[in-house]
Amino acid sequence: METKGFTQDGTVDLRGRPVLASRTGKWNACAFLVGYEAFERMAFYGIASNLVNYLTTQLHEDTVSSVRNVNSWSGSVWITPILGAYIADTYLGRFWTFTVSSLIYVMGMIMLTTAVSLKSLKPTCTNGICNKASTSQVAFFYISLYTIALGAGGTKPNISTFGADQFDDFNPHEKELKVSFFNWWMFSSFLGALFATLGLVYIQENLGWGLGYGVPTVGLLVSLVVFYLGTPIYRHKVRKTKSPARDLIQVPVTAFKNRKLQLPQNPCQLHEHEPQYYINSGKRQVHYTPIFRFLDKAAVKDGNSGRPPCTVTQVEGTKLVLGMMLIWLVTLVPSTIWAQINTLFVKQGTTMDRSLGSSFQIPAASLGSFVTLSMLISVPMYDRYFVPFMRSKTGNPRGITLLQRLGIGFVIQVIAIAIAYAVEVRRMHVIRVHQITGPKQIVPMNIFWLLPQYVLLGIADVFNAIGLLEFFYDQSPEDMQSLGTTFFTSGIGIGNFLNSFLVTMVDKLTDRGEHKSWIGDNLNDSHLDYYYGFLLVISTLNLGAFIWASSKYVYKRETKEVNEGCIEMESKALEISPLGLQV
């Protein structure tokens, strides 16, 4: 196939025909995709970054309820991709799942814009006294929000993996380009987030919520048109298994049935297809690894399951998912820390001096733009300077391993929450000195005191968010890469739900008798510093758990047999070393 100029990884066009490597894929195809990502992120952050303020000022919810509702919605946006990825990997494929879901997403944006624009769908105010939102008003608003969450379920896990599919792993030049793909993919995402936190937040608070939500809705529609213009040059992965997630059930069940059997001394004696099978099917063979050995019994020949044994490749695919689950668990606390940016950080900022000059007030949510700015500056520096420098030192094409990248990000995040704690201690000191007690009294402390924690979280995300997205895509079994990417999205979703749970429980446990809640409606008479201190403790403990989990992880090793010979992909040393030092 290589001599005919076709792609070597078996990708096809929308009609299922082999595609020419020179005319399809690569960055030319990705150019049509990144526009959608930028506008989708602009829409999401245009809602998420200021939603807590809309709920408290327009729907008149209390602080704890608004934080809980923001976290629940954000969590849903990041959890629903599990369903979208399953549908893509098992039934529709990435392109068609994205197509249907993007239309649902746009419908939700149109409904939300309508909800914040029409007077009949908003609470009325008379002489400064506002009525509570009616049941129908609240219902329509939240139906709109969760329609967006449903649409995001099919777009988020498939658009990034579809972009990665545009690069052929078996072409050395394209494989090198793919190393930078996730960095620049997230760069476009950051651009959308920057416009949201700088421009849309200001428009919402000063020119109207309807216009603030209408702009990203129109942008999203335009980006979809641009996306479909690139259809002739897109590459599509061919599904090689009807139900790729089936092995996740079959392998443990077979291993349990064979639990009394002895494992052979040599792993080569376990069941595996002949090389010709992989030549004919175009699948990749995954090599044996000495972890989760209890699953190896699923590949014991002449077992007790009453059906042919699983192959080593099937067993190793299940091992990969278990290994990723171990890493996924230690990403939940960092995702909880990230959830503060759009919730408590914003409410904290509303209590501080936000004046810039004599007449301009900085929207508290706009400080989130510094998270994005630090990302936008850090991504090119990471890709153009840090990676080549570390590549020359380590010989690793990525400069450092994927788990090392995550570890650096988690360390920076711990420093960021430590600074957030110190700043809140300072704010409480100023409150005591000036004897401030009212919920609407402004603390004489400039909002830019919060700047370091925003900047550091942005830098940490260059290591964390991009590293996690690449890690879960790279380490997933071949037929489950969309589903694998949902490890990234679901971790963020669970982190939001976890933050919602923690805020609710902390409020209930601390608001007893004469004790005041750590997170009350009046943040000037609460103890947000205690809550930040609690987050600092659990994030430090979680960092230790990550170091342990990464020391146990063994990277994927796979090959694909082709007629011209055997090409090994992502060969990793089997030795286990701290922070995934395998190269």
Side-chain angles (χ1 to χ4, degrees), residues 501-554:
F501 172 77
L502 289 176
V503 166
T504 302
M505 293 306 297
V506 165
D507 178 60
K508 288 183 177 180
L509 293 174
T510 58
D511 188 16
R512 291 184 173 183
E514 297 180 357
H515 299 283
K516 53 189 176 184
S517 171
W518 290 3
I519 315 170
D521 287 340
N522 181 4
L523 289 185
N524 292 334
D525 192 32
S526 300
H527 269 299
L528 196 57
D529 53 336
Y530 292 175
Y531 185 66
Y532 285 169
F534 169 67
L535 292 180
L536 176 59
V537 171
I538 63 173
S539 60
T540 303
L541 293 174
N542 185 77
L543 178 61
F546 169 77
I547 293 173
W548 174 83
S550 61
S551 71
K552 302 297 182 183
Y553 190 80
V554 178

Side-chain angles (χ1 to χ4, degrees), residues 157-230:
N158 291 304
I159 188 68
S160 58
T161 48
F162 186 65
D165 290 345
Q166 306 309 307
F167 300 92
D168 188 344
D169 276 336
F170 303 104
N171 181 309
H173 174 63
E174 291 192 26
K175 186 170 176 60
E176 186 176 339
L177 292 176
K178 189 175 180 178
V179 170
S180 298
F181 167 74
F182 286 105
N183 290 332
W184 293 102
W185 176 260
M186 293 299 284
F187 185 85
S188 69
S189 175
F190 301 154
L191 281 176
L194 178 64
F195 183 81
T197 50
L198 275 180
L200 293 183
V201 167
Y202 179 82
I203 291 172
Q204 289 164 2
E205 294 193 7
N206 294 275
L207 301 179
W209 291 92
L211 183 62
Y213 287 162
V215 169
T217 301
V218 173
L220 206 58
L221 283 167
V222 172
S223 68
L224 279 176
V225 173
V226 173
F227 171 83
Y228 291 114
L229 289 176

Side-chain angles (χ1 to χ4, degrees), residues 407-544:
I408 293 171
F410 292 159
V411 168
I412 297 173
Q413 199 177 62
V414 170
I415 296 172
I417 199 63
I419 291 175
Y421 168 72
V423 169
E424 181 59 15
V425 169
R426 166 73 180 176
R427 192 183 74 92
M428 296 301 295
H429 172 73
V430 173
I431 287 173
R432 286 192 296 270
V433 169
H434 292 271
Q435 298 181 343
I436 294 172
T437 57
K440 295 187 178 181
Q441 285 183 272
I442 299 300
V443 180
M445 182 176 172
N446 196 282
I447 192 173
F448 286 110
W449 274 85
L450 302 178
L451 191 59
Q453 64 204 53
Y454 278 97
V455 171
L456 282 175
L457 285 175
I459 296 172
D461 221 37
V462 171
F463 291 88
N464 285 350
I466 303 174
L468 281 170
L469 183 59
E470 185 175 3
F471 174 81
F472 289 127
Y473 175 87
D474 182 81
Q475 295 297 297
S476 296
E478 180 187 7
D479 291 325
M480 288 190 285
Q481 286 178 315
S482 288
L483 199 59
T485 305
T486 62
F487 275 100
F488 166 69
T489 61
S490 63
I492 299 175
I494 295 295
N496 277 276
F497 287 129
L498 182 58
N499 185 55
S500 178
F501 172 77
L502 289 176
V503 166
T504 302
M505 293 306 297
V506 165
D507 178 60
K508 288 183 177 180
L509 293 174
T510 58
D511 188 16
R512 291 184 173 183
E514 297 180 357
H515 299 283
K516 53 189 176 184
S517 171
W518 290 3
I519 315 170
D521 287 340
N522 181 4
L523 289 185
N524 292 334
D525 192 32
S526 300
H527 269 299
L528 196 57
D529 53 336
Y530 292 175
Y531 185 66
Y532 285 169
F534 169 67
L535 292 180
L536 176 59
V537 171
I538 63 173
S539 60
T540 303
L541 293 174
N542 185 77
L543 178 61

Side-chain angles (χ1 to χ4, degrees), residues 362-381:
I362 302 170
S366 286
L367 220 59
S369 62
F370 287 97
V371 175
T372 311
L373 280 171
S374 62
M375 291 175 176
L376 290 172
I377 294 170
S378 300
V379 166
M381 293 179 65

Side-chain angles (χ1 to χ4, degrees), residues 41 57 77 111 119 175-176 316 348 420 422 530 576:
R41 289 294 86 187
T57 62
V77 169
M111 291 172 61
K119 290 184 178 180
K175 186 170 176 60
E176 186 176 339
E316 290 302 315
Q348 186 183 12
Y530 292 175
I576 297 173

